Every structure is written in C-alpha cells, then in structure tokens.
Amino acid sequence: MLRQAHSRETLSIQDIPAEDDALAGALMGAADNNTTGKFTGQTFATVDIKLSEGEDAGAALDKLVSEGARLIIADLSADALLKASERAKISGALLFNISPPTKVCARKTAAQMSCMSRPRGACWPTASRNI
C-alpha cells in the first residue's frame, strides 16, 4: 500500500477520518485472504509505505514490486499517483486508486493508468501480496 498523509481538517469532528482508515481495510483484507489461503497453500501480507512530503512515489512503487507486490492500493495525490502509475505500467503491477478522483487523474486515467477510483475511506477488500 502506498499512501500519503491527508488533511484531517473537517467541519465536524464526526467527519474526521481515522489516521489509518485505508491501512485498516488492507490489513483486514490480508487477514481474510490468509483464511482462504490455508486451503490453497497461499499466504498474504500487507506492506505499508507511507510517503513523506516530496518523497518519490515511483521509487516507492518499485520497492514494493521488487518485494513481490503486484496489487497495490494507492492513496496518493494526483501527481504522485501518475508517477506511480507510470512505474506500475512498466512493471506490470496493478494500482487501485482509493483517493478522491481529480481532474488531472480523470484526464489521464484511460490513456496512462491502470487504476480504479473509489471514494475516500472505501477500501478494496484485497490489499495484499502473495508471498
């Protein structure tokens, strides 16, 4: 999972997202996959890379791919997501974009990216890699 810190400012304290909202879903998905994996001889793990300000998302994606990840959840800004998607296209990894869609992403998604948009906070059930 590749992610960046988001603003936690909201109009109401009821709307403040958990600091690990996306990661929690990924961990739950890996645990669920491991339950089934007992019967199929597979094991899954969630690898979390939280990027700091200005850190290269493409290099972080390369690190995940070198460790065997092929399905990667991305909670990144539009620019970082586009950089990561270029590297994913080269390596054959699949990105699942869980960040709010932006106009920059929307224009380039069909031509350059293998990603799916989900509303913030909605996690894909499978956020793991086969090890």
Side-chain angles (χ1 to χ4, degrees):
M1 171 170 206
L2 286 176
R3 61 189 179 117
Q4 293 173 314
H6 293 281
S7 171
R8 294 177 48 88
E9 294 180 13
T10 63
L11 295 175
S12 167
I13 63 170
Q14 293 179 335
D15 295 330
I16 297 174
E19 204 164 308
D20 68 343
D21 59 348
L23 179 60
L27 292 169
M28 189 181 340
D32 186 53
N33 286 346
N34 280 321
T35 301
T36 304
K38 289 178 186 177
F39 302 103
T40 60
Q42 296 176 317
T43 56
F44 298 86
T46 300
V47 178
D48 179 36
I49 296 182
K50 189 170 185 180
L51 302 176
S52 56
E53 186 70 32
E55 194 172 351
D56 183 20
L61 183 123
D62 288 342
K63 181 177 186 247
L64 282 173
V65 169
S66 72
E67 293 175 358
R70 294 295 176 260
L71 302 174
I72 301 169
I73 294 174
D75 189 7
L76 302 169
S77 67
D79 292 334
L81 182 65
L82 291 171
K83 287 178 186 174
S85 71
E86 285 299 315
R87 298 280 183 89
K89 185 169 44 172
I90 292 167
S91 66
L94 179 63
L95 289 178
F96 294 93
N97 177 23
I98 63 168
S99 296
T102 65
K103 290 180 182 177
V104 173
C105 260
R107 284 194 303 269
K108 296 187 178 186
T109 298
Q112 294 183 346
M113 297 171 50
S114 298
C115 78
M116 298 177 182
S117 295
R118 297 291 281 185
R120 174 129 176 82
C123 299
W124 288 96
T126 312
S128 49
R129 65 180 170 94
N130 192 353
I131 56 173

